[in-house]
Amino acid sequence: MRALALLVNVVVAAAMITGVPAAASDVVRVEGGHSARDTRVGYKVDLIRAALKATEDTHGPFLLDASLPAMPRDRTLRELVRGHLLNVHIAPTKPDLEAALLTIRVPVLRGLLDYRLLLIHADDRERFNRVRTVEDLKRLRVGLRSQWSTTQILEAAGFDVVQAQDYDGVFTMLEYRRSDFLPRGINEVFGEMEAMRDRIPHVIIEPRLALNIPLPSYVFVSPRTPRLAERVESGLRRMIADGRFDALFQSYFGDDIRRAGLAQRHVIRLPNPFLSERKAAWLPEDWCDPYRSE
């Protein structure tokens, strides 16, 4: 619930802002969550804030506004191009995002989203005990949202994808058995299960499988604000160099990595045909080892 509480605090604080401080040299506008139960936004807002704070000596003060509710992905892209309502966004990469926006190629989830645990209906546990391969998974229905990057990847691979209309619906669809499984990143699944528990009492985390899909998350910046792109990347690199990046990452996800027990799971690997070859900014320290549980 830490991330959910943070979301509430961020939105309330931002809503109280009625003007931009005269001293603020950069005004940064990011989305809030897709729902009151969307726990993913806390890390994103904290990371952007930390990167901006790490560059106050070189770039001056800033105002961070996270009061705008999340929008459908295609509208988010349009607003980022315009640069008025939104100018900074963290998301799994897709070719259209990289083509239209300024892309900071630092994998801000450090590869953790590449590893998905499977949410399933409790009554289907024995059914999933027989799953060993990608082809086994393709015989089952996967529930996803229409504009997620994972949806595009799995549809291209021949999966039977059942699409939900909204963020909450992708979970309740599984509860009511209109889909068979829902893959969620190690960074997502535990917070979501806690936040959604009252709505999905019969959904569990499948205990022996994981799905690996290469899918880095980047910071995307409006082309109208190149200064922000330079500032955020400089801040992230400072944080990586002095350990603040790892400390923030571990504070959010260290326990989740241990709980996932990836080393004890059977990992099914699936390629991502939409992944850009542009990886020049990737350094070894950008990544975590999700197999380590100590």
Side-chain angles (χ1 to χ4, degrees):
M1 296 299 290
R2 175 179 183 271
L4 188 60
L6 174 63
L7 169 59
V8 173
N9 291 337
V10 167
V11 172
V12 170
M16 295 174 64
I17 297 174
T18 57
V20 177
S25 58
D26 288 310
V27 179
V28 181
R29 297 185 174 91
V30 300
E31 286 181 321
H34 284 267
S35 136
R37 299 170 187 265
D38 186 353
T39 63
R40 301 169 298 172
V41 70
Y43 173 73
K44 297 177 183 180
V45 172
D46 269 1
L47 183 65
I48 295 300
R49 180 185 291 110
L52 295 169
K53 287 185 68 67
T55 51
E56 282 185 307
D57 61 334
T58 54
H59 292 73
F62 64 90
L63 173 69
L64 177 61
D65 182 356
S67 62
L68 185 71
M71 298 173 287
R73 186 187 167 283
D74 54 358
R75 187 185 170 198
T76 294
L77 176 55
R78 291 196 300 270
E79 295 299 341
L80 284 165
V81 170
R82 295 187 183 107
H84 299 304
L85 293 179
L86 295 173
N87 52 22
V88 176
H89 183 58
I90 293 179
T93 190
K94 290 185 75 172
D96 58 344
L97 294 179
E98 295 194 29
L101 305 171
L102 303 178
T103 306
I104 301 172
R105 288 182 173 81
V106 175
V108 294
L109 285 169
R110 306 185 68 194
L112 198 55
L113 184 62
D114 294 9
Y115 292 91
R116 318 296 180 89
L117 305 188
L118 308 185
L119 297 183
I120 67 170
H121 196 281
D123 292 346
D124 283 339
R125 181 166 176 170
E126 182 59 33
R127 190 179 180 192
F128 277 83
N129 282 342
R130 298 189 292 271
V131 172
R132 296 289 185 276
T133 67
V134 170
E135 294 304 316
D136 293 336
L137 275 180
K138 287 183 182 180
R139 298 186 184 99
L140 303 166
R141 299 166 301 167
V142 55
L144 296 165
R145 290 195 67 190
S146 61
Q147 296 186 1
W148 281 352
S149 299
T150 306
T151 304
Q152 182 182 25
I153 296 165
L154 294 188
E155 285 183 332
F159 279 76
D160 181 5
V161 177
V162 183
Q163 296 183 8
Q165 295 301 310
D166 55 35
Y167 174 77
D168 288 2
V170 80
F171 295 90
T172 55
M173 188 166 63
L174 182 60
E175 170 70 19
Y176 292 105
R177 308 195 75 172
R178 292 193 289 271
S179 63
D180 296 317
F181 71 99
L182 169 60
R184 302 304 289 154
I186 290 175
N187 58 296
E188 301 168 321
V189 66
F190 298 106
E192 289 176 333
M193 283 292 286
E194 182 178 355
M196 294 281 182
R197 175 47 60 202
D198 61 324
R199 299 190 67 174
I200 53 171
H202 300 102
V203 171
I204 64 170
I205 299 174
E206 199 285 330
R208 53 171 291 273
L209 297 171
L211 182 61
N212 173 238
I213 306 172
L215 187 59
S217 290
Y218 295 145
V219 182
F220 295 96
V221 181
S222 172
R224 293 181 177 271
T225 54
R227 169 188 163 90
L228 280 182
E230 185 277 327
R231 176 172 186 168
V232 172
E233 181 163 10
S234 175
L236 290 174
R237 287 301 176 194
R238 287 189 182 191
M239 292 173 64
I240 290 170
D242 65 20
R244 282 178 288 176
F245 188 105
D246 183 65
L248 180 63
F249 180 85
Q250 291 296 331
S251 73
Y252 268 91
F253 306 123
D255 287 343
D256 294 340
I257 293 172
R258 288 185 283 273
R259 291 173 70 184
L262 196 61
Q264 285 74 52
R265 290 179 177 268
H266 175 67
V267 179
I268 298 173
R269 302 186 186 278
L270 187 69
N272 179 358
F274 306 105
L275 189 61
S276 169
E277 293 298 320
R278 298 183 62 185
K279 305 175 184 177
W282 294 5
L283 300 173
E285 58 266 32
D286 291 341
W287 301 95
C288 71
D289 181 359
Y291 283 90
R292 294 181 60 184
S293 58
E294 63 272 10

